Amino acid sequence: MTSDKKYILGISLGIVCLAIFIALIFVINYLLKRNMQKKERAKKENYAPCFSLLKRYCNKNNWRFFNGVEFKLKSQVIKANGPILLSKRALVLTHPIYFDTKIDGNCIEREWYKISPKNENKQKVFPNPLLSDEMIIKDILDIFPKNVPILLMFILINEEIEHDIYNVPGHIIFTNQSQLEQGFNEIITSLEETLDNKTIDEITKKIESFQK
Protein backbone atom coordinates (compact mmCIF):
# COMPACT_ATOMS: atom_id res chain seq x y z
CA MET A 1 0.00 0.00 0.00
CA THR A 2 1.38 3.38 -1.00
CA SER A 3 1.91 6.14 1.53
CA ASP A 4 -0.94 8.16 -0.05
CA LYS A 5 -3.36 5.28 0.39
CA LYS A 6 -2.21 4.78 3.98
CA TYR A 7 -2.72 8.47 4.60
CA ILE A 8 -6.25 8.39 3.14
CA LEU A 9 -7.05 5.21 5.10
CA GLY A 10 -5.81 6.84 8.31
CA ILE A 11 -7.96 9.91 7.75
CA SER A 12 -10.98 7.76 6.93
CA LEU A 13 -10.55 5.66 10.06
CA GLY A 14 -10.12 8.82 12.11
CA ILE A 15 -13.33 10.30 10.71
CA VAL A 16 -15.21 7.04 11.39
CA CYS A 17 -13.89 6.86 14.98
CA LEU A 18 -14.79 10.51 15.56
CA ALA A 19 -18.29 9.94 14.18
CA ILE A 20 -18.73 6.89 16.43
CA PHE A 21 -17.47 8.87 19.44
CA ILE A 22 -19.87 11.77 18.75
CA ALA A 23 -22.75 9.34 18.25
CA LEU A 24 -21.95 7.66 21.59
CA ILE A 25 -21.97 11.03 23.34
CA PHE A 26 -25.38 11.85 21.86
CA VAL A 27 -26.75 8.41 22.85
CA ILE A 28 -25.41 8.68 26.41
CA ASN A 29 -26.79 12.22 26.79
CA TYR A 30 -30.15 11.08 25.43
CA LEU A 31 -30.33 8.13 27.83
CA LEU A 32 -29.30 10.27 30.80
CA LYS A 33 -31.85 12.94 29.91
CA ARG A 34 -34.61 10.35 29.44
CA ASN A 35 -33.74 8.75 32.78
CA MET A 36 -33.86 12.13 34.53
CA GLN A 37 -37.20 12.94 32.90
CA LYS A 38 -38.53 9.54 33.98
CA LYS A 39 -37.43 10.18 37.58
CA GLU A 40 -38.94 13.67 37.50
CA ARG A 41 -42.29 12.30 36.24
CA ALA A 42 -42.27 9.61 38.94
CA LYS A 43 -41.46 12.26 41.55
CA LYS A 44 -44.35 14.46 40.42
CA GLU A 45 -46.71 11.49 40.45
CA ASN A 46 -45.61 10.53 43.97
CA TYR A 47 -45.79 14.08 45.30
CA ALA A 48 -48.97 15.33 43.59
CA PRO A 49 -51.37 13.83 46.21
CA CYS A 50 -49.23 15.35 48.98
CA PHE A 51 -49.37 18.82 47.44
CA SER A 52 -53.12 18.46 47.04
CA LEU A 53 -53.51 17.55 50.72
CA LEU A 54 -51.32 20.46 51.79
CA LYS A 55 -53.53 22.85 49.82
CA ARG A 56 -56.67 21.33 51.33
CA TYR A 57 -55.47 21.68 54.93
CA CYS A 58 -54.19 25.19 54.25
CA ASN A 59 -57.63 26.19 53.01
CA LYS A 60 -59.28 24.45 55.96
CA ASN A 61 -57.11 26.26 58.53
CA ASN A 62 -56.92 29.61 56.71
CA TRP A 63 -53.22 29.22 55.96
CA ARG A 64 -51.48 30.45 52.82
CA PHE A 65 -49.88 28.03 50.34
CA PHE A 66 -46.94 28.87 48.06
CA ASN A 67 -45.44 26.47 45.54
CA GLY A 68 -42.48 26.81 43.18
CA VAL A 69 -40.51 29.19 45.39
CA GLU A 70 -36.90 30.00 44.45
CA PHE A 71 -35.12 32.46 46.70
CA LYS A 72 -32.85 34.61 44.55
CA LEU A 73 -30.17 35.95 46.84
CA LYS A 74 -27.03 37.95 46.05
CA SER A 75 -24.87 35.15 44.71
CA GLN A 76 -27.16 32.14 44.48
CA VAL A 77 -30.62 30.78 43.79
CA ILE A 78 -32.08 28.57 46.52
CA LYS A 79 -34.99 26.36 45.54
CA ALA A 80 -37.37 25.33 48.32
CA ASN A 81 -37.67 21.54 48.70
CA GLY A 82 -41.46 21.75 48.81
CA PRO A 83 -44.39 24.13 49.20
CA ILE A 84 -44.11 26.89 51.80
CA LEU A 85 -46.99 27.39 54.23
CA LEU A 86 -47.80 30.53 56.15
CA SER A 87 -50.07 31.00 59.14
CA LYS A 88 -50.36 33.48 62.00
CA ARG A 89 -48.31 31.01 64.03
CA ALA A 90 -45.32 30.28 61.78
CA LEU A 91 -43.72 30.06 58.38
CA VAL A 92 -43.45 26.37 57.49
CA LEU A 93 -41.00 24.95 54.94
CA THR A 94 -42.22 21.55 53.80
CA HIS A 95 -40.07 18.79 52.41
CA PRO A 96 -42.00 15.86 50.92
CA ILE A 97 -39.56 12.98 50.66
CA TYR A 98 -39.79 9.46 49.26
CA PHE A 99 -37.66 6.64 50.65
CA ASP A 100 -37.84 3.22 48.99
CA THR A 101 -35.92 1.47 51.78
CA LYS A 102 -35.82 1.65 55.58
CA ILE A 103 -33.93 4.65 56.93
CA ASP A 104 -31.82 4.97 60.05
CA GLY A 105 -31.61 8.71 60.62
CA ASN A 106 -30.07 10.57 63.54
CA CYS A 107 -31.14 14.18 63.03
CA ILE A 108 -28.03 15.59 64.68
CA GLU A 109 -25.62 13.62 62.47
CA ARG A 110 -24.43 14.61 58.99
CA GLU A 111 -25.03 11.14 57.52
CA TRP A 112 -28.05 8.85 57.41
CA TYR A 113 -28.24 5.21 56.39
CA LYS A 114 -30.39 3.26 53.95
CA ILE A 115 -30.93 -0.26 55.25
CA SER A 116 -30.95 -3.06 52.72
CA PRO A 117 -34.28 -4.98 52.82
CA LYS A 118 -32.39 -8.23 52.23
CA ASN A 119 -29.64 -7.67 54.77
CA GLU A 120 -30.09 -5.21 57.65
CA ASN A 121 -26.34 -5.21 58.26
CA LYS A 122 -25.80 -3.77 54.78
CA GLN A 123 -26.12 0.01 54.89
CA LYS A 124 -25.73 2.75 52.30
CA VAL A 125 -24.65 6.17 53.55
CA PHE A 126 -26.30 9.37 52.25
CA PRO A 127 -26.37 13.01 53.44
CA ASN A 128 -28.83 13.96 56.16
CA PRO A 129 -31.65 15.68 54.17
CA LEU A 130 -32.35 18.05 57.07
CA LEU A 131 -29.08 19.83 56.40
CA SER A 132 -30.20 21.37 53.10
CA ASP A 133 -33.31 22.81 54.74
CA GLU A 134 -31.34 24.12 57.71
CA MET A 135 -29.07 25.91 55.22
CA ILE A 136 -32.12 27.37 53.47
CA ILE A 137 -33.42 28.72 56.79
CA LYS A 138 -30.03 30.22 57.57
CA ASP A 139 -29.83 31.89 54.14
CA ILE A 140 -33.36 33.35 54.15
CA LEU A 141 -33.52 34.60 57.75
CA ASP A 142 -32.79 38.18 56.72
CA ILE A 143 -35.60 38.17 54.14
CA PHE A 144 -38.40 37.97 56.69
CA PRO A 145 -39.25 39.91 59.87
CA LYS A 146 -37.16 38.87 62.87
CA ASN A 147 -40.10 37.66 64.95
CA VAL A 148 -41.31 35.03 62.44
CA PRO A 149 -41.00 31.43 63.73
CA ILE A 150 -39.74 29.14 60.94
CA LEU A 151 -40.52 25.43 61.09
CA LEU A 152 -39.65 22.43 58.91
CA MET A 153 -42.24 19.78 58.07
CA PHE A 154 -40.86 16.57 56.57
CA ILE A 155 -43.55 14.50 54.90
CA LEU A 156 -42.80 10.82 54.34
CA ILE A 157 -44.55 9.81 51.12
CA ASN A 158 -43.91 6.07 51.12
CA GLU A 159 -45.77 4.67 54.13
CA GLU A 160 -45.17 1.02 53.32
CA ILE A 161 -41.79 1.16 55.05
CA GLU A 162 -41.15 2.08 58.69
CA HIS A 163 -38.18 4.31 59.49
CA ASP A 164 -36.05 4.92 62.55
CA ILE A 165 -35.61 8.72 62.72
CA TYR A 166 -34.60 10.15 66.10
CA ASN A 167 -33.16 13.15 67.97
CA VAL A 168 -35.63 15.37 66.09
CA PRO A 169 -35.15 19.09 66.97
CA GLY A 170 -38.12 21.04 68.29
CA HIS A 171 -38.57 23.14 65.12
CA ILE A 172 -38.86 20.04 62.89
CA ILE A 173 -41.96 17.91 62.40
CA PHE A 174 -41.93 14.46 60.81
CA THR A 175 -45.25 13.17 59.56
CA ASN A 176 -46.62 10.66 57.09
CA GLN A 177 -48.70 11.81 54.15
CA SER A 178 -51.79 10.15 55.64
CA GLN A 179 -51.19 12.04 58.92
CA LEU A 180 -50.75 15.52 57.49
CA GLU A 181 -53.73 16.85 59.40
CA GLN A 182 -52.08 15.78 62.66
CA GLY A 183 -48.98 17.68 61.55
CA PHE A 184 -51.06 20.83 61.09
CA ASN A 185 -52.75 20.27 64.45
CA GLU A 186 -49.38 19.87 66.18
CA ILE A 187 -48.40 23.36 65.02
CA ILE A 188 -51.80 24.83 65.88
CA THR A 189 -51.80 23.44 69.42
CA SER A 190 -48.15 24.15 70.24
CA LEU A 191 -47.81 27.73 68.95
CA GLU A 192 -49.75 30.92 69.65
CA GLU A 193 -50.89 33.28 66.90
CA THR A 194 -48.16 35.92 67.08
CA LEU A 195 -48.17 37.26 63.50
CA ASP A 196 -50.66 40.02 62.70
CA ASN A 197 -52.31 40.60 59.32
CA LYS A 198 -49.79 43.28 58.34
CA THR A 199 -46.86 40.90 58.94
CA ILE A 200 -48.66 38.10 57.08
CA ASP A 201 -49.21 40.37 54.07
CA GLU A 202 -45.58 41.52 54.18
CA ILE A 203 -44.32 37.93 54.19
CA THR A 204 -46.76 36.99 51.43
CA LYS A 205 -45.43 39.73 49.16
CA LYS A 206 -41.88 38.61 49.83
CA ILE A 207 -42.62 34.96 49.02
CA GLU A 208 -44.69 35.80 45.94
CA SER A 209 -41.77 37.81 44.56
CA PHE A 210 -39.72 34.59 44.58
CA GLN A 211 -42.33 32.35 42.96
CA LYS A 212 -41.63 31.08 39.46
Side-chain angles (χ1 to χ4, degrees):
M1 184 181 292
T2 64
S3 59
D4 288 342
K5 288 183 177 179
K6 289 181 179 178
Y7 180 73
I8 293 171
L9 179 61
I11 292 177
S12 300
L13 288 173
I15 292 172
V16 170
C17 290
L18 180 62
I20 292 173
F21 178 71
I22 293 173
L24 283 174
I25 291 176
F26 275 108
V27 169
I28 291 171
N29 284 338
Y30 169 75
L31 292 175
L32 288 173
K33 186 176 180 181
R34 189 175 69 172
N35 189 45
M36 288 179 65
Q37 289 174 339
K38 185 178 179 181
K39 286 183 177 179
E40 191 64 28
R41 284 196 300 270
K43 182 178 177 180
K44 287 182 179 179
E45 290 174 0
N46 286 329
Y47 291 3
C50 176
F51 285 19
S52 179
L53 285 172
L54 283 170
K55 280 186 179 180
R56 183 197 304 175
Y57 293 129
C58 280
N59 291 333
K60 179 179 178 181
N61 294 285
N62 197 28
W63 289 24
R64 299 186 184 183
F65 176 96
F66 307 91
N67 196 20
V69 178
E70 292 184 353
F71 296 103
K72 297 175 179 65
L73 306 179
K74 292 180 180 179
S75 59
Q76 59 183 328
V77 176
I78 302 171
K79 185 176 181 180
N81 288 313
I84 294 178
L85 319 179
L86 176 61
S87 74
K88 291 186 176 182
R89 291 175 168 82
L91 180 70
V92 183
L93 305 184
T94 69
H95 190 159
I97 195 164
Y98 186 98
F99 292 123
D100 55 5
T101 60
K102 182 178 178 179
I103 299 300
D104 182 316
N106 184 346
C107 293
I108 61 176
E109 297 289 343
R110 298 189 64 85
E111 295 176 339
W112 283 13
Y113 302 92
K114 290 183 178 181
I115 311 299
S116 170
K118 296 181 180 179
N119 181 4
E120 289 205 353
N121 294 320
K122 188 175 180 181
Q123 301 178 343
K124 183 177 179 181
V125 178
F126 69 102
N128 178 347
L130 275 66
L131 299 179
S132 65
D133 291 281
E134 295 284 17
M135 287 300 297
I136 291 174
I137 290 178
K138 181 179 177 182
D139 288 332
I140 67 173
L141 276 176
D142 292 337
I143 296 175
F144 303 110
K146 301 296 184 184
N147 63 331
V148 179
I150 301 180
L151 307 179
L152 293 175
M153 181 186 288
F154 277 81
I155 306 163
L156 302 174
I157 303 297
N158 185 4
E159 301 186 36
E160 296 178 359
I161 301 173
E162 293 185 2
H163 305 292
D164 189 11
I165 298 173
Y166 46 95
N167 289 331
V168 181
H171 66 289
I172 297 178
I173 297 168
F174 274 90
T175 183
N176 293 322
Q177 180 172 289
S178 63
Q179 298 175 328
L180 264 180
E181 189 167 20
Q182 288 93 313
F184 275 75
N185 289 336
E186 184 176 340
I187 296 172
I188 291 169
T189 56
S190 61
L191 294 177
E192 297 290 334
E193 292 188 352
T194 58
L195 305 178
D196 57 25
N197 290 332
K198 182 180 178 181
T199 304
I200 291 291
D201 290 338
E202 180 183 346
I203 297 171
T204 296
K205 288 180 181 179
K206 286 282 188 181
I207 297 176
E208 287 177 342
S209 70
F210 293 114
Q211 280 185 300
K212 292 189 293 183

